[in-house]
C-alpha cells in the first residue's frame, strides 16, 4: 500500500500535540483519587455518552467489523447494532443503581453485595479478562498502523501502546472523557469524508448496489443468521453491562436522570454511526476486490482515496478511536489495582498523593502488559474471532454475577463463585467440542452460568448478617439520591472546560482546513475544507452554548 507523506506526519503530530494539551490541562485539576477515577461524580452526561461511544469503538471496528462488511456487506452493521442493547438496558434498568451506589471502582460493590473473597476474585480474574480484551484492541491498532505506514508490526504495537499509556497517565478520568469527545469530532468528520469519496470511486450508491446486491441485505452471510445474531446480542448485553469502563461512566455522572440520558444518547450514537463507518468497507469490496486480508479493507481504501495530509488525519482518527477505548480501560484497570488491591491489601493508610502516584504507575504496568500480550493475539485468528472467543470464555462468567447480583437480592456469594468456575469450565468444554457451533456453545455456557447463580440463592441458606448487609445495600440502590448526594461542578472549572472545548474544536477545524489546501482541487480537498469550516463554526456554537459569551475570562 501507499506510504505516508511528510504532510501526513505533520498532521498526526499536530493532533497528538492537541491531545497532550488536553491531558496536561486536567493534570492540574486532579487533587484526590476520587477525582482521578470518577471525576468527582460531576461529569456531564453528554460528554460521558460520547466517551462511552468512543470506548465501544476502537480501531477494532474499522478492522474487524469492516472485514465483515467487506465480505458480507450490511450485516456488519447488523452485528455492530447489537451494542445498542446494553445501553438501552442500562438507561432503563441498571444505570440508576450504579450512580446511587456511589462506588469508586466497579468491583467495590461486590464486597457489600457478596463478600471480600468475591471482591478479590473479581478483581484478579476481571483484570485478566480486561488484559486479554485490550490486547485484542492493541493488536487491531498494530494491524492498522502496519497497513497504513512503513512501521513493522512490533514497532507499531510498541509505539501506539506507549502513546496511549502516556496520555492516560496525565489527567485521570476527566482527561479520558474529554479527549474521547474531541477524538469523536475528528473521527466522525474524517469518516464522513471517506463516505462520498468511496461511493464516488464505486460509481455511486446505485451502481454499487447493482454490482454487489448481496452486500445490501441486513442478514447476509453466516453472521446474519437469526440464531447467531441472537446469541451474539445476548453476549454483548452481558459483556457491556459487566464491563468496568461501561459501569464507570454511569457512576461518574451526578444523578439518575443523567444516567438515562447517558444511556439513550450512547445507544443513538451506536445506531446511527455504524452505517457511516462501514459503508466505505462495503464499497471497498468493489473498488479493491480480492484483498488477501478483508480486515484491512478500510485502511486500504483510505490509503488509496485520501491525499497527503488528509490520510494523516484519517490515521490520527483511527488511532484516536483505539486510544479512546484503551484510555478508558487503562484508567479503570488502574482504579481496581490501586483501590481494590494496593490500598486494600498492601497499604490501607496510603495518602491521596500516594494513591495518585500508585495509580499512574499502575497505568504504566497495564500498558506494558497489554503491549506485550498483543504481540501474540494473532495466533487466535482474526481480530473479530479472537475477541469473540475471549468474550465467550471469560466475560460471560464474570458479567452474570456482577449484573444479576445488582438486580436479584436472593442470590449469594457461593453462587457467584461457582458461576465463575462453571463459566470458565463450560466455556472451554463447549468451545473445544468440535460438534458444537460457536453460538450453541455460548448459549449453553450462558444457561449453565445463570442456572448455577440462581440455584445457589434458593438451595443454600445465607447467614443472617449477610442477609442484613444485602438488604441495606439494596435499600441504598433502590432509594433516589438526595440533594446532598448530587455533585455539582465548580463554575470556574465548567467555564475553563468550555474554553478548552471551543479552542480544541477550533484548532481541529484549522487543521482540517490547512490539510485540505494542497488538494483543494480534488473532491477530497473540497470536502475537507468544508469540514474545517464546520468545525470552526461549531467551536463558536460550543463556546456560546456553554457560557453565553465569547469571552475567555470569567
Amino acid at each position: 500500500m501507499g506510504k505516508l507523506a511528510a504532510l501526513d506526519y505533520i498532521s498526526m503530530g499536530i493532533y497528538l500535540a492537541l491531545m497532550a494539551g488536553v491531558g496536561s490541562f486536567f493534570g492540574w485539576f486532579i487533587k484526590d483519587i476520587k477525582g482521578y477515577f470518577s471525576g468527582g461524580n460531576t461529569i456531564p452526561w453528554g460528554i460521558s455518552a460520547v466517551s462511552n461511544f468512543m470506548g465501544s469503538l476502537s480501531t477494532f471496528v474499522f478492522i474487524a467489523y469492516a472485514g465483515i462488511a467487506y465480505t458480507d456487506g450490511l450485516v456488519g452493521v447488523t452485528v455492530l447494532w447489537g451494542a445498542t442493547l446494553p445501553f438501552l438496558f442500562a438507561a432503563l434498568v441498571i444505570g440508576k443503581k450504579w450512580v446511587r451506589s456511589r462506588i469508586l471502582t466497579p468491583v467495590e460493590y461486590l464486597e457489600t453485595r457478596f463478600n471480600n473473597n468475591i471482591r478479590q476474585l473479581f478483581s484478579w480474574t476481571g483484570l485478566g479478562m480486561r488484559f486479554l480484551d485490550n490486547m485484542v484492541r492493541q493488536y487491531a491498532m498494530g494491524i492498522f498502523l502496519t497497513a497504513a505506514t512503513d512501521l513493522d508490526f512490533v514497532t507499531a504495537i510498541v509505539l501506539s501502546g506507549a502513546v496511549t499509556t502516556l496520555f492516560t497517565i496525565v489527567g485521570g478520568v476527566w482527561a479520558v472523557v474529554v479527549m474521547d469527545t474531541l477524538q469523536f469530532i475528528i473521527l466522525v468528520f474524517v469518516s464522513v469524508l471517506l463516505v462520498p469519496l468511496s461511493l464516488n470511486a464505486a460509481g455511486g450508491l446505485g451502481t454499487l448496489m447493482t454490482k454487489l446486491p448481496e452486500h445490501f441485505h441486513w442478514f447476509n452471510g453466516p453472521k446474519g443468521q437469526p440464531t447467531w445474531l441472537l446469541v451474539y446480542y445476548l453476549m454483548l448485553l452481558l459483556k457491556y453491562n459487566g464491563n468496568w469502563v461501561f459501569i464507570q461512566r454511569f457512576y461518574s455522572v451526578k444523578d439518575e436522570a443523567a444516567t438515562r440520558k447517558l444511556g439513550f444518547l450512547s445507544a443513538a450514537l451506536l445506531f446511527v454511526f455504524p452505517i457511516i463507518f462501514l459503508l466505505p468497507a462495503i464499497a471497498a469490496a468493489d473498488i479493491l476486490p480480492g484483498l488477501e486480508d478483508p480486515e484491512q479493507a478500510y485502511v486500504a481504501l483510505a490509503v488509496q482515496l485520501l491525499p497527503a495530509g488528509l490520510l494523516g488525519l484519517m490515521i490520527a482518527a483511527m488511532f484516536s478511536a483505539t486510544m479512546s477505548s484503551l484510555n478508558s480501560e487503562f484508567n479503570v484497570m488502574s482504579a481496581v489495582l490501586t483501590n481494590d488491591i494496593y490500598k486494600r491489601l498492601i497499604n490501607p493508610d496510603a495518602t491521596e498523593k500516594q494513591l495518585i502516584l500508585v495509580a499512574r504507575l499502575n497505568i504504566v504496568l497495564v500498558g506494558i502488559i497489554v503491549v506485550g500480550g498483543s504481540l501474540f493475539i494473532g495466533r487466535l485468528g482474526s481480530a473479530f474471532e479472537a475477541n469473540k472467543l475471549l468474550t465467550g470464555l471469560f466475560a460471560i462468567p464474570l458479567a452474570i454475577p456482577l449484573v444479576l447480583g445488582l438486580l436479584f437480592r436472593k442470590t449469594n456469594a457461593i453462587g457467584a463463585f461457582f458461576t465463575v468456575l462453571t463459566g470458565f469450565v463450560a466455556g472451554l468444554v463447549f468451545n473445544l467440542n468440535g460438534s458444537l457451533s460457536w453460538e450453541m456453545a455460548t448459549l449453553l455456557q450462558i444457561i449453565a452460568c445463570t442456572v448455577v447463580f440462581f440455584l445457589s440463592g434458593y438451595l443454600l441458606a445465607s447467614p443472617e448478617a449477610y442477609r442484613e448487609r444485602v438488604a441495606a445495600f439494596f435499600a441504598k440502590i433502590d432509594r433516589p439520591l438526595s440533594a446532598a448526594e448530587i455533585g455539582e461542578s465548580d463554575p470556574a472549572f465548567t467555564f475553563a472546560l468550555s474554553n478548552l472545548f471551543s479552542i480544541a474544536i477550533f484548532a481541529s477545524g484549522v487543521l482540517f482546513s490547512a490539510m485540505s489546501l494542497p488538494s483543494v482541487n480534488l473532491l477530497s480537498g473540497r470536502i475537507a475544507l468544508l469540514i474545517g469550516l464546520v468545525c470552526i463554526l461549531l467551536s463558536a456554537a460550543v463556546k456560546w452554548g456553554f457560557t453565553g459569551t465569547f469571552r475567555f475570562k470569567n
Side-chain angles (χ1 to χ4, degrees):
M1 280 183 244
K3 298 179 180 179
L4 294 181
L7 194 58
D8 294 311
Y9 288 108
I10 291 172
S11 64
M12 293 168 65
I14 293 173
Y15 168 82
L16 291 176
L18 180 64
M19 293 298 105
V22 173
S24 300
F25 171 85
F26 286 102
W28 289 103
F29 281 90
I30 301 301
K31 304 300 181 185
D32 57 32
I33 200 69
K34 184 177 178 66
Y36 194 78
F37 287 135
S38 69
N41 304 111
T42 59
I43 295 178
W45 62 268
I47 293 177
S48 195
V50 170
S51 180
N52 233 343
F53 170 72
M54 290 295 290
S56 303
L57 294 179
S58 82
T59 309
F60 182 80
V61 168
F62 300 95
I63 296 294
Y65 286 95
I68 298 173
Y70 179 88
T71 303
D72 295 318
L74 284 177
V75 70
V77 177
T78 307
V79 174
L80 188 50
W81 271 344
T84 62
L85 295 181
F87 290 100
L88 292 174
F89 179 77
L92 295 170
V93 180
I94 209 170
K96 61 185 178 183
K97 297 180 183 294
W98 286 124
V99 77
R100 290 170 183 171
S101 70
R102 284 305 190 218
I103 56 175
L104 190 60
T105 71
V107 296
E108 181 183 329
Y109 107 98
L110 289 166
E111 181 173 4
T112 301
R113 178 60 186 86
F114 299 113
N115 58 36
N116 181 52
N117 291 333
I118 295 299
R119 175 177 179 165
Q120 291 302 318
L121 172 67
F122 275 71
S123 295
W124 291 103
T125 54
L127 280 170
M129 169 57 205
R130 299 259 50 81
F131 275 120
L132 291 170
D133 200 30
N134 291 317
M135 288 172 190
V136 175
R137 290 186 173 95
Q138 190 67 60
Y139 168 77
M141 187 68 232
I143 292 177
F144 182 88
L145 288 177
T146 302
T149 70
D150 294 325
L151 296 174
D152 62 83
F153 181 71
V154 174
T155 303
I157 288 286
V158 173
L159 181 62
S160 60
V163 172
T164 299
T165 303
L166 180 62
F167 276 105
T168 311
I169 288 172
V170 180
V173 70
W174 259 112
V176 169
V177 297
V178 172
M179 282 196 290
D180 282 351
T181 306
L182 297 175
Q183 289 161 353
F184 166 78
I185 294 170
I186 296 286
L187 176 66
V188 166
F189 280 128
V190 174
S191 301
V192 167
L193 169 63
L194 199 56
V195 172
L197 295 182
S198 60
L199 291 179
N200 182 65
L205 180 59
T207 301
L208 184 62
M209 295 176 70
T210 301
K211 292 179 180 179
L212 302 172
E214 71 282 356
H215 275 56
F216 287 88
H217 292 287
W218 298 102
F219 303 100
N220 184 45
K223 294 180 176 62
Q225 301 307 304
T227 304
W228 194 97
L229 285 171
L230 176 65
V231 175
Y232 189 74
Y233 278 24
L234 180 59
M235 184 184 76
L236 289 184
L237 180 65
L238 291 169
K239 176 186 177 179
Y240 275 80
N241 277 284
N243 183 289
W244 292 352
V245 173
F246 183 98
I247 294 168
Q248 185 190 52
R249 293 296 175 267
F250 282 90
Y251 66 65
S252 295
V253 296
K254 70 175 186 175
D255 57 21
E256 296 96 333
T259 65
R260 289 192 295 273
K261 295 173 184 176
L262 158 61
F264 287 134
L265 179 56
S266 299
L269 292 173
L270 279 163
F271 183 78
V272 171
F273 283 103
I275 298 176
I276 296 173
F277 293 154
L278 297 183
L279 195 55
I282 297 174
D286 174 65
I287 302 168
L288 302 171
L291 283 179
E292 183 177 346
D293 183 0
E295 291 194 334
Q296 292 190 6
Y298 199 95
V299 63
L301 190 69
V303 168
Q304 176 158 322
L305 297 182
L306 293 176
L310 295 179
L311 177 59
L313 279 181
M314 168 61 79
I315 293 173
M318 297 300 103
F319 180 75
S320 75
T322 295
M323 189 163 72
S324 292
S325 179
L326 291 176
N327 284 157
S328 301
E329 290 282 349
F330 287 10
N331 180 272
V332 78
M333 291 168 72
S334 174
V336 172
L337 284 168
T338 303
N339 194 64
D340 295 284
I341 295 176
Y342 174 78
K343 184 178 179 181
R344 185 81 180 181
L345 302 178
I346 300 174
N347 188 4
D349 299 320
T351 64
E352 294 292 337
K353 187 175 181 180
Q354 288 174 322
L355 290 174
I356 290 179
L357 175 61
V358 170
R360 287 172 169 153
L361 291 175
N362 280 332
I363 289 172
V364 175
L365 174 65
V366 169
I368 291 172
I369 294 174
V370 168
V371 166
S374 64
L375 298 174
F376 303 95
I377 288 295
R379 298 180 181 181
L380 298 176
S382 68
F384 183 84
E385 292 302 320
N387 179 266
K388 187 181 69 174
L389 176 63
L390 293 175
T391 296
L393 288 176
F394 300 105
I396 289 172
L398 294 171
I400 286 176
L402 197 150
V403 175
L404 298 185
L406 199 65
L407 299 175
F408 302 96
R409 66 182 68 196
K410 196 169 179 60
T411 52
N412 56 37
I414 296 176
F417 172 78
F418 280 105
T419 297
V420 174
L421 182 61
T422 300
F424 288 164
V425 173
L428 286 172
V429 171
F430 293 147
N431 279 281
L432 291 176
N433 188 330
S435 63
L436 291 175
S437 64
W438 168 83
E439 55 266 33
M440 184 54 64
T442 303
L443 183 59
L444 289 173
Q445 182 194 25
I446 293 172
I447 292 172
C449 288
T450 305
V451 169
V452 167
F453 188 59
F454 279 109
L455 279 181
S456 67
Y458 289 95
L459 297 181
L460 302 173
S462 301
E464 180 65 25
Y466 171 79
R467 293 199 300 271
E468 291 177 357
R469 188 172 74 248
V470 170
F473 172 75
F474 272 90
K476 179 181 180 180
I477 64 173
D478 289 340
R479 183 183 67 248
L481 293 171
S482 66
E485 294 175 298
I486 298 176
E488 293 294 340
S489 299
D490 179 359
F493 177 72
T494 302
F495 192 87
L497 182 63
S498 71
N499 288 346
L500 177 69
F501 266 119
S502 58
I503 291 172
I505 295 171
F506 179 83
S508 300
V510 172
L511 182 58
F512 266 109
S513 300
M515 292 302 115
S516 72
L517 293 180
S519 55
V520 74
N521 58 318
L522 302 174
L523 176 63
S524 56
R526 292 193 293 272
I527 296 175
L529 179 60
L530 177 62
I531 289 173
L533 295 176
V534 170
C535 281
I536 291 171
L537 293 175
L538 180 62
S539 69
V542 167
K543 176 60 181 167
W544 182 264
F546 271 88
T547 65
T549 178
F550 291 117
R551 291 183 295 104
F552 284 87
K553 287 187 177 181
N554 195 356

